[in-house]
Amino acid sequence: MKKVLMTAILCMLCIAAVFAGGSKEKGSAAASTGFQVPENGYDGSPVTIRFYHTMGTNLSEVLSLYIEEFNKLYPNITVEATQVGSYDDVRDQISTEITVGGQPNIAYCYPDHVALYNLAGVVVPLDSLIESEVKVKRADGSEEILGLTPAQQADFIEGYYNEGRQFGDGLMYTLPWSKSTEVLYYNKTFFDKHGISVPTTWDEMEAVCARIKEIDPSSIPLGYDSEGNWFITMTEQLGSDYTSATEPHYLFDNETNRDFVKKFRSWYQKGYLTTQTLYGSYTSGLFVSENDVKSYMSIGSSAGATHQRPTALADGSYPFEVGIATIPQADKNNPKVISQGPSVCIFGKSDPQEVIASWLFVKFMTTCVDFQADFSMTSGYVPVLRSVGEHPVYKDFVAQADGGRYISALSAKVCLSQESAYYTSPAFNGSSTARSQVQTLFAKCLSAADGGNEDAMIRKAFKEAIDECEYQN
């Protein structure tokens, strides 16, 4: 069924390339040359641009406030922002609209979405826009260059910014909007009581799990929400192959990866860990559990910090204090943590003024320190700009960080402290399939019966995952 669905989408996108002005190959060639910036930049003419996103009510209100600020600078650019459901809903709706040239101007995206849209050559490479020194006049008579200044480029957190170039051709297709990562939540009250140090490596994590099991034999010391993220992060930390943006794409069936899966399988068999798939729900539920079976550590999204906090008692206090730290590393001198959260891409249009207007809006939102601060405090995501850390309001927000009422601030503080560790994976048509398959094989290898031959079971699971990736794509 998945194969049929993907074939249908690919067919629609190939047809879309004709609507966009040529064959699939011509669309790709056009994309590789980049967008040609008009000599006069934005000419001030009335333009309406459509922006698809996934924001709920609170974030949409923040967005609306800053659209008003943008319109003070560019009153003739009308921004129609539309909430389209989930990230996958955005992808699916745009994939359909591309077939008739009806795609929006701007959209929330993940790298694999952009790789899919790129089959029709409809995503605008941003390089010429970023580098443009064309002067653009604002409504108040002031001018700005169309592109990003060196200072603006340097202000982006490097790992977030570089996600836009993970498509195999060296071109920039996205800018980061807001981001999250994975962090280690731990029961600080329990750790302090028993003199347990927070693990910084996976070897230390194994020792901590063993110690917790001694103290509370009924516990499952560690919960890890995403098996897919865990697998991919381990390949980054260990420097082993996962995928490539160019063929052959699927490289994760190798000895290093099989070895770490085997290692964590032994942890599972000792009762040290569970995952979202094996637990049947987010492992934060086990971390905040009031039952006999509970965990004392949970690795999950930094944006979900409030879900990792136990229910407050009648007096407003909490049953235990939550600590937050960077996830354990294979090598503390070369830390790697995943970059998640939405970026934005711009779609090509027959009127270059629509592209210019879209770029001005994206540039404003992603480089506006006030917006990044307000959006981050409201969403629980972290800002994509370094300078937000010095924003007075955001600085006060982070200063309140604790393991109770202000747990979101504590999560943000940890995220900001590890900005040099963020990584992103190669993006191509099929990269989302790879993520799904390594998630499935990891969960399977942790828990499946091995028939007396563990190595053979693990090898088979890896081969089946590779085969499924190649079949689906």
Side-chain angles (χ1 to χ4, degrees):
M1 188 66 185
K2 288 182 179 179
K3 180 71 172 179
V4 173
L5 177 60
M6 181 56 67
T7 300
I9 291 175
L10 293 178
C11 287
M12 289 193 295
L13 290 173
C14 289
I15 294 170
V18 177
F19 284 97
S23 69
K24 175 182 171 183
E25 288 72 24
K26 288 181 180 178
S28 298
S32 67
T33 62
F35 174 73
Q36 301 302 310
V37 177
E39 291 185 6
N40 61 345
Y42 173 53
D43 62 14
S45 59
V47 178
T48 297
I49 55 177
R50 295 183 297 134
F51 172 32
Y52 286 1
H53 61 79
T54 66
M55 300 175 211
T57 302
N58 289 345
L59 290 177
S60 292
E61 290 175 355
V62 175
L63 175 65
S64 295
L65 288 174
Y66 283 89
I67 289 176
E68 291 178 11
E69 293 300 311
F70 173 74
N71 284 144
K72 291 176 184 178
L73 302 177
Y74 299 102
N76 286 341
I77 299 176
T78 300
V79 181
E80 295 181 350
T82 303
Q83 200 274 345
V84 185
S86 69
Y87 295 116
D88 286 351
D89 291 331
V90 172
R91 176 202 62 200
D92 293 345
Q93 182 162 329
I94 291 174
S95 296
T96 299
E97 292 176 347
I98 284 173
T99 64
V100 293
Q103 67 271 13
N105 299 88
I106 308 164
Y108 260 16
C109 60
Y110 271 79
D112 58 290
H113 301 174
V114 176
L116 183 62
Y117 307 149
N118 269 348
L119 293 175
V122 293
V123 180
V124 174
L126 303 178
D127 302 78
S128 61
L129 292 160
I130 291 171
E131 297 163 6
S132 175
E133 296 185 0
V134 169
K135 297 288 183 65
V136 180
K137 184 168 289 189
R138 297 165 167 169
D140 61 4
S142 65
E143 288 185 331
E144 66 172 314
I145 65 165
L146 183 64
L148 297 176
T149 66
Q152 286 174 324
Q153 292 183 53
D155 196 22
F156 282 101
I157 291 174
E158 186 176 6
Y160 298 156
Y161 188 74
N162 288 340
E163 181 182 287
R165 296 193 187 278
Q166 299 298 310
F167 299 88
D169 60 6
L171 298 178
M172 189 80 161
Y173 289 96
T174 67
L175 282 184
W177 183 274
S178 63
K179 292 297 177 180
S180 65
T181 186
E182 289 183 325
V183 292
L184 171 65
Y185 300 92
Y186 62 95
N187 185 323
K188 188 175 185 299
T189 303
F190 178 88
F191 272 52
D192 290 348
K193 177 181 178 181
H194 297 283
I196 300 173
S197 298
V198 179
T200 60
T201 67
W202 293 108
D203 288 341
E204 290 174 4
M205 172 63 82
E206 184 172 17
V208 168
C209 287
R211 175 62 179 142
I212 291 173
K213 266 295 197 182
E214 290 176 358
I215 299 168
D216 182 359
S218 67
S219 70
I220 302 174
L222 170 66
Y224 203 128
D225 272 338
S226 173
E227 299 95 339
N229 284 357
W230 195 2
F231 186 101
I232 297 166
T233 296
M234 291 306 302
T235 67
E236 288 287 332
Q237 291 187 3
L238 294 167
S240 60
D241 288 332
Y242 166 53
T243 57
S244 169
T246 57
E247 293 186 351
H249 293 304
Y250 309 108
L251 309 174
F252 55 82
D253 186 4
N254 59 67
E255 185 176 2
T256 300
N257 297 346
R258 292 192 298 270
D259 283 348
F260 77 69
V261 167
K262 183 177 180 179
K263 173 180 179 178
F264 293 130
R265 172 180 167 82
S266 73
W267 290 19
Y268 178 77
Q269 292 175 331
K270 294 174 183 176
Y272 289 176
L273 68 89
T274 190
T275 64
Q276 183 178 341
T277 298
L278 300 176
Y279 178 58
S281 184
Y282 287 109
T283 61
S284 56
L286 191 62
F287 183 65
V288 300
S289 174
E290 298 177 1
N291 300 323
D292 291 338
V293 179
K294 62 185 66 178
S295 69
Y296 293 93
M297 294 178 288
S298 176
I299 295 178
S301 172
S302 60
T306 56
H307 298 291
Q308 303 280 359
R309 181 179 59 197
T311 303
L313 302 173
D315 63 0
S317 64
Y318 294 92
F320 63 86
E321 181 182 358
V322 179
I324 305 178
T326 298
I327 67 169
Q329 299 292 320
D331 178 2
K332 288 191 289 186
N333 295 318
N334 185 29
K336 298 291 183 181
V337 291
I338 197 167
S339 170
Q340 301 182 121
S343 294
V344 284
C345 64
I346 295 174
F347 293 94
K349 295 291 181 177
S350 58
D351 180 1
Q353 288 301 307
E354 287 189 43
V355 176
I356 294 294
S358 300
W359 165 252
L360 287 171
F361 176 70
V362 166
K363 175 187 173 183
F364 178 80
M365 290 298 184
T366 57
T367 63
C368 176
V369 176
D370 286 343
F371 172 73
Q372 284 288 316
D374 284 346
F375 193 88
S376 297
M377 289 185 291
T378 303
S379 67
Y381 281 74
V382 290
V384 301
L385 304 175
R386 293 186 176 93
S387 58
V388 177
E390 297 304 315
H391 186 281
V393 176
Y394 193 78
K395 200 170 184 178
D396 288 344
F397 166 73
V398 173
Q400 300 177 94
D402 65 24
R405 182 177 179 184
Y406 298 105
I407 193 170
S408 293
L410 181 59
S411 177
K413 186 176 182 179
V414 172
C415 292
L416 292 171
S417 72
Q418 58 186 27
E419 67 171 66
S420 63
Y422 294 119
Y423 76 85
T424 54
S425 300
F428 55 94
N429 182 42
S431 53
S432 61
T433 302
R435 173 179 292 275
S436 296
Q437 288 303 312
V438 298
Q439 177 167 319
T440 298
L441 86 83
F442 201 177
K444 178 180 179 180
C445 288
L446 289 177
S447 61
D450 59 26
N453 192 332
E454 183 179 65
D455 288 339
M457 182 274 290
I458 291 174
R459 284 182 177 277
K460 181 180 179 183
F462 271 79
K463 182 180 184 304
E464 289 175 346
I466 293 286
D467 290 346
E468 190 62 25
C469 286
E470 293 175 346
Y471 171 73
Q472 290 192 32
N473 295 286

